Amino acid sequence: MHCRELTKPDGRALYLYSRSPIDRRIVATNPPHPISKPNPHLRWHPLRGEWVVYASHRQDRTFLPPKEYSPLAVSRSAEFPTELPQGEYDVAVFDNLFPSLTLSGEDPEREIVSTRPARGHCDVVVFTQNPDTSLGGLPVDHIALILEVLGERTRELGSRKDIQYVLPFENRGVEVGVTLHHPHGQIYSYSFIPPVVARMQKMAKEHFSQHHQSLFSDLIAEELNASRRVIARRASALAFVPVCARYPYETWVAPIRSVPYLYELEASERRDLAITLKTVLSKYDRMWNRPFPYLLTLYQAPTDGEPHPEAHSHFQIYPPYRTRDKLKFLAGTELAAGVFVNDSLPEEKARELIDVECPVYE
Amino acid sequence: MHCRELTKPDGRALYLYSRSPIDRRIVATNPPHPISKPNPHLRWHPLRGEWVVYASHRQDRTFLPPKEYSPLAVSRSAEFPTELPQGEYDVAVFDNLFPSLTLSGEDPEREIVSTRPARGHCDVVVFTQNPDTSLGGLPVDHIALILEVLGERTRELGSRKDIQYVLPFENRGVEVGVTLHHPHGQIYSYSFIPPVVARMQKMAKEHFSQHHQSLFSDLIAEELNASRRVIARRASALAFVPVCARYPYETWVAPIRSVPYLYELEASERRDLAITLKTVLSKYDRMWNRPFPYLLTLYQAPTDGEPHPEAHSHFQIYPPYRTRDKLKFLAGTELAAGVFVNDSLPEEKARELIDVECPVYE
């Protein structure tokens, strides 16, 4: 992987990644925007025992612009700069112009609950220069490069003392609230371990101390043995609708080997993971012959400096549809109680996905 | 409050409630439907440490029928029975035809994770016979009656040994996934304490053991003192956008006195709570001159037989809009990490709601 680190005229960082060497003459750009110093802050939610982020500058963020004004398109000319400079490269990562978390936050006003600067970092990850494709539509090599980029960003961000957790994710489709159509993901880096992650850590640690094995690895072994929910399989990676899917078409994509962080994978494992991920995303799009929206998230171990033998890095994908024309809404029981109701059986949805014809990627 | 308990031809229970005596000649009805014995089950989600409900019979539930086929409309004639019989009454409660939880569940098949029958109960609460109004549009007396009904159902359901938590809620609007437009709520009764409730219990108990005061009562005192987020106030009830709002227009409506269960309120307190709730819901609808969607939920203490001096019964309302034309989507950070990002300040949204003109209800 080739990488170049640049600084945008407005001071934000830009990283370019490519499978081939990157032209050293490329200069970082940014679209014109009013100068702002975002200062998001945290407030403690005493009833739920969790932090809530307040980022009021985000109300002004770019919302579904027409294609010719996309800030993620490659700059067409020096007069119309965007977030992406002209030149040859595969993937670009830069500081979000409207970050929910920043490393430079100042102390917020006092409130009746505890407050803090919303420290952390928000990356935008542009998957490709092509605005008309998708993560799953990219060649295997290109997806493998993206996985490498997510791993490297996790390593870099996670090495900071003030970053405890790095969360790469992709929101795809207006159904999940996407505000820019160009294929891209994001990386949120938190100064604390988020509550969902803390809960998952707790469960994984309990299992590990009892069984001396990663909980996720044990689950994989059982899913492989049961086999009926496995929708893609390579030597070192697999994809399955988990036995406990909360969303009808929920799919998990994982390396077989238990690694706490994505950057610990060998190139061959990363390639298998890319192929498996591409297979799932291709099946999604082929099922109803239209782009299939989802939230895709990469879970890794916290970057809190502790060893995490219990962690097994993997992707979880949550599609919002429950049938071709009906969305699964999160409502009373899900949002107020935290109890998900799934109107379908994971085995049945897995069968639908298994049956979708799809090329064998290599 | 007058109440009659009836049995539908298909065996489900029907409760009618009214401010005046109910005609004893009313006979329970139900729409024709194929006989089904729902058998939802639970599977353990080992990574998150929570139960997930599988209710595949719910795929066939009635979805946004035209008004003349609404199962919640009053039966027009003996040939076209609905869930609601003809006759005078204010509120009807009956067993959901498509329950996510049932008291009669049989053991599910074994799986690679723990499974259990999805024990519990699902009520439908029809707020009024009028299909063209809303909870907030009803007269104060009628809303007070609904609060009494929610309280009584909590008492009855909660008295069962196999019910640990009773959750009344209303999903209002297609934006939050409503499948029937007639004004109605639901009550989910769980055989376990749901994860969100368990977390809130933990926080409330810790505070209580330290301060000998309910956490929520202390928060109310501070919100009243700060005053800028209070949008409605009566002698024994208040409504405010909480300092830690996760949704831009989130509002909490509560009695001032700390009671673990709604049924413990005096009639005058219930009336104040009804007036306060009506004020908030009216302001919502008046703000943009259109029905304002929301998820409304009533938190009470668990019904696990333990005393709960730490609990303070109250409503939390989560509207899905962040501006007049933009929804707040739950995406990467909210769903994958559990960290909510609010693009607005609770003080600002409270000010908007305070400024909405609305009659003074008595």
Side-chain angles (χ1 to χ4, degrees), chain B residues 109-257:
Chain B
E109 284 175 46
R110 275 172 165 280
E111 252 304 343
I112 61 171
V113 292
S114 298
T115 60
R116 270 199 209 173
R119 290 217 205 281
H121 188 73
C122 291
D123 272 340
V124 175
V125 183
V126 180
F127 292 149
T128 166
Q129 295 193 6
N130 179 359
D132 299 317
T133 184
S134 64
L135 179 58
L138 292 168
V140 169
D141 279 350
H142 196 132
I143 298 175
L145 179 78
I146 292 169
L147 299 184
E148 200 175 351
V149 168
L150 299 182
E152 282 313 307
R153 287 303 290 155
T154 301
R155 192 206 301 262
E156 282 164 43
L157 290 157
S159 70
R160 291 187 60 113
K161 274 229 173 67
D162 44 5
I163 297 295
Q164 299 270 301
Y165 195 76
V166 180
L167 183 81
F169 62 89
E170 181 195 4
N171 299 328
R172 184 193 189 200
V174 290
E175 294 91 340
V176 296
V178 127
T179 53
L180 298 171
H181 284 304
H182 192 108
H184 75 287
Q186 300 183 60
I187 303 175
Y188 269 39
S189 298
Y190 302 90
S191 59
F192 55 89
I193 298 183
V196 168
V197 175
R199 176 73 181 166
M200 287 171 62
Q201 271 294 111
K202 182 174 175 287
M203 300 307 295
K205 278 188 167 171
E206 281 175 13
H207 184 97
F208 191 83
S209 73
Q210 236 182 313
H211 303 279
H212 310 288
Q213 267 277 115
S214 136
L215 170 61
F216 196 89
S217 309
D218 281 351
L219 184 68
I220 285 181
E222 298 199 69
E223 287 287 13
L224 280 172
N225 189 42
S227 89
R228 60 184 177 153
R229 286 177 296 264
V230 176
I231 60 178
R233 173 75 211 267
R234 297 279 300 178
S236 64
L238 86 165
F240 57 102
V241 177
V243 60
C244 54
R246 295 177 303 147
Y247 299 84
Y249 292 99
E250 180 169 350
T251 304
W252 295 357
V253 182
I256 305 277
R257 186 164 68 93

Side-chain angles (χ1 to χ4, degrees), chain B residues 41-358:
Chain B
H41 71 278
L42 303 178
R43 295 183 186 183
W44 184 247
H45 192 306
L47 271 55
R48 298 174 59 98
E50 66 190 34
W51 291 106
V52 180
V53 180
Y54 295 89
S56 47
H57 59 283
R58 277 171 56 82
Q59 282 283 10
D60 303 321
R61 68 186 184 273
T62 316
F63 185 78
L64 296 176
K67 204 176 264 182
E68 59 273 29
Y69 293 103
S70 170
L72 305 189
V74 174
S75 301
R76 281 177 300 165
S77 67
E79 289 81 58
F80 298 101
T82 66
E83 296 284 15
L84 261 61
Q86 289 183 338
E88 290 207 7
Y89 52 88
D90 292 318
V91 175
V93 174
F94 58 86
D95 300 350
N96 196 322
L97 184 58
F98 302 98
S100 302
L101 309 162
T102 65
L103 287 164
S104 59
E106 286 165 24
D107 279 343
E109 284 175 46
R110 275 172 165 280
E111 252 304 343
I112 61 171
V113 292
S114 298
T115 60
R116 270 199 209 173
R119 290 217 205 281
H121 188 73
C122 291
D123 272 340
V124 175
V125 183
V126 180
F127 292 149
T128 166
Q129 295 193 6
N130 179 359
D132 299 317
T133 184
S134 64
L135 179 58
L138 292 168
V140 169
D141 279 350
H142 196 132
I143 298 175
L145 179 78
I146 292 169
L147 299 184
E148 200 175 351
V149 168
L150 299 182
E152 282 313 307
R153 287 303 290 155
T154 301
R155 192 206 301 262
E156 282 164 43
L157 290 157
S159 70
R160 291 187 60 113
K161 274 229 173 67
D162 44 5
I163 297 295
Q164 299 270 301
Y165 195 76
V166 180
L167 183 81
F169 62 89
E170 181 195 4
N171 299 328
R172 184 193 189 200
V174 290
E175 294 91 340
V176 296
V178 127
T179 53
L180 298 171
H181 284 304
H182 192 108
H184 75 287
Q186 300 183 60
I187 303 175
Y188 269 39
S189 298
Y190 302 90
S191 59
F192 55 89
I193 298 183
V196 168
V197 175
R199 176 73 181 166
M200 287 171 62
Q201 271 294 111
K202 182 174 175 287
M203 300 307 295
K205 278 188 167 171
E206 281 175 13
H207 184 97
F208 191 83
S209 73
Q210 236 182 313
H211 303 279
H212 310 288
Q213 267 277 115
S214 136
L215 170 61
F216 196 89
S217 309
D218 281 351
L219 184 68
I220 285 181
E222 298 199 69
E223 287 287 13
L224 280 172
N225 189 42
S227 89
R228 60 184 177 153
R229 286 177 296 264
V230 176
I231 60 178
R233 173 75 211 267
R234 297 279 300 178
S236 64
L238 86 165
F240 57 102
V241 177
V243 60
C244 54
R246 295 177 303 147
Y247 299 84
Y249 292 99
E250 180 169 350
T251 304
W252 295 357
V253 182
I256 305 277
R257 186 164 68 93
S258 181
V259 294
Y261 306 100
L262 204 62
Y263 59 73
E264 295 171 282
L265 291 182
E266 307 291 339
S268 64
E269 292 172 315
R270 199 159 51 231
R271 192 177 169 80
D272 268 3
L273 189 60
I275 290 171
T276 310
L277 183 59
K278 182 176 172 65
T279 303
V280 171
L281 301 183
S282 303
K283 280 176 174 267
Y284 277 165
D285 283 2
R286 284 159 185 262
M287 187 164 51
W288 297 328
N289 290 310
R290 67 179 194 213
F292 193 79
Y294 56 74
L295 161 62
L296 173 150
T297 182
L298 171 62
Y299 284 115
Q300 301 174 92
T303 56
D304 53 0
E306 304 291 322
H308 287 286
E310 80 288 352
H312 186 133
S313 179
H314 68 279
F315 290 96
Q316 295 192 5
I317 315 177
Y318 309 146
Y321 279 98
R322 58 184 172 94
T323 65
R324 185 193 286 263
D325 53 1
K326 286 182 195 153
L327 289 165
K328 172 179 176 52
F329 287 93
L330 303 187
T333 185
E334 287 89 3
L335 293 180
V339 179
F340 272 64
V341 176
N342 187 337
D343 293 349
S344 56
L345 292 174
E347 303 68 76
E348 291 169 2
K349 292 299 176 186
R351 172 48 57 192
E352 284 182 39
L353 288 168
I354 291 166
D355 288 347
V356 174
E357 285 191 37
C358 168

Side-chain angles (χ1 to χ4, degrees), chain A residues 133-201:
Chain A
T133 185
S134 64
L135 178 59
L138 293 168
V140 168
D141 279 350
H142 195 131
I143 298 176
L145 178 78
I146 291 170
L147 298 184
E148 198 175 353
V149 169
L150 299 182
E152 281 312 307
R153 287 303 290 156
T154 300
R155 192 205 302 260
E156 282 164 45
L157 289 157
S159 71
R160 290 189 60 113
K161 274 228 172 68
D162 44 5
I163 298 294
Q164 299 271 301
Y165 195 76
V166 180
L167 183 81
F169 62 90
E170 181 194 3
N171 299 327
R172 184 193 189 202
V174 291
E175 295 91 338
V176 297
V178 125
T179 52
L180 297 171
H181 283 305
H182 193 108
H184 74 287
Q186 300 183 59
I187 303 175
Y188 270 39
S189 299
Y190 303 91
S191 59
F192 55 90
I193 298 183
V196 168
V197 175
R199 175 74 179 167
M200 286 170 65
Q201 271 295 109

Side-chain angles (χ1 to χ4, degrees), chain A residues 11-295:
Chain A
R12 288 178 295 138
L14 171 70
Y15 303 85
L16 304 178
Y17 301 90
S18 184
R19 288 164 287 175
S20 359
I22 300 169
D23 188 337
R24 299 203 61 83
R25 288 165 300 180
I26 295 178
V27 176
T29 53
N30 61 252
H33 60 83
I35 294 160
S36 75
K37 191 168 181 302
N39 196 24
H41 71 279
L42 303 178
R43 295 184 187 184
W44 184 244
H45 192 306
L47 271 55
R48 298 174 60 98
E50 66 190 35
W51 292 107
V52 180
V53 180
Y54 295 88
S56 47
H57 58 282
R58 278 171 55 83
Q59 282 284 10
D60 304 321
R61 68 186 185 272
T62 316
F63 185 77
L64 297 175
K67 203 176 267 183
E68 60 273 30
Y69 293 105
S70 169
L72 305 189
V74 175
S75 301
R76 280 176 299 164
S77 67
E79 289 81 56
F80 298 102
T82 66
E83 296 284 15
L84 262 60
Q86 290 183 337
E88 291 207 8
Y89 52 89
D90 291 318
V91 175
V93 174
F94 58 85
D95 300 350
N96 195 322
L97 184 57
F98 302 98
S100 302
L101 308 164
T102 64
L103 286 164
S104 59
E106 286 165 24
D107 279 343
E109 284 176 45
R110 279 173 162 279
E111 252 305 342
I112 61 173
V113 292
S114 297
T115 59
R116 269 201 210 173
R119 291 216 205 281
H121 188 73
C122 292
D123 271 340
V124 176
V125 182
V126 180
F127 293 148
T128 165
Q129 295 192 7
N130 178 359
D132 299 318
T133 185
S134 64
L135 178 59
L138 293 168
V140 168
D141 279 350
H142 195 131
I143 298 176
L145 178 78
I146 291 170
L147 298 184
E148 198 175 353
V149 169
L150 299 182
E152 281 312 307
R153 287 303 290 156
T154 300
R155 192 205 302 260
E156 282 164 45
L157 289 157
S159 71
R160 290 189 60 113
K161 274 228 172 68
D162 44 5
I163 298 294
Q164 299 271 301
Y165 195 76
V166 180
L167 183 81
F169 62 90
E170 181 194 3
N171 299 327
R172 184 193 189 202
V174 291
E175 295 91 338
V176 297
V178 125
T179 52
L180 297 171
H181 283 305
H182 193 108
H184 74 287
Q186 300 183 59
I187 303 175
Y188 270 39
S189 299
Y190 303 91
S191 59
F192 55 90
I193 298 183
V196 168
V197 175
R199 175 74 179 167
M200 286 170 65
Q201 271 295 109
K202 182 175 175 286
M203 300 308 295
K205 278 188 167 172
E206 280 174 15
H207 184 97
F208 191 83
S209 72
Q210 237 182 312
H211 303 278
H212 310 289
Q213 266 277 115
S214 136
L215 170 60
F216 195 90
S217 309
D218 281 352
L219 185 68
I220 285 180
E222 298 199 67
E223 287 286 12
L224 280 172
N225 189 41
S227 88
R228 60 184 177 153
R229 286 177 295 264
V230 176
I231 59 178
R233 173 74 212 265
R234 296 278 300 177
S236 64
L238 87 165
F240 57 102
V241 177
V243 60
C244 54
R246 295 178 301 147
Y247 300 83
Y249 293 98
E250 180 169 350
T251 304
W252 296 357
V253 182
I256 305 276
R257 186 165 67 93
S258 182
V259 294
Y261 306 99
L262 203 63
Y263 58 75
E264 295 170 281
L265 292 181
E266 307 290 340
S268 64
E269 292 172 315
R270 200 161 48 232
R271 193 179 167 80
D272 267 3
L273 189 61
I275 290 172
T276 310
L277 183 59
K278 181 175 172 67
T279 303
V280 171
L281 301 183
S282 302
K283 279 176 175 267
Y284 277 166
D285 282 1
R286 283 159 184 262
M287 187 164 53
W288 298 328
N289 291 311
R290 66 179 194 213
F292 195 78
Y294 57 73
L295 162 63

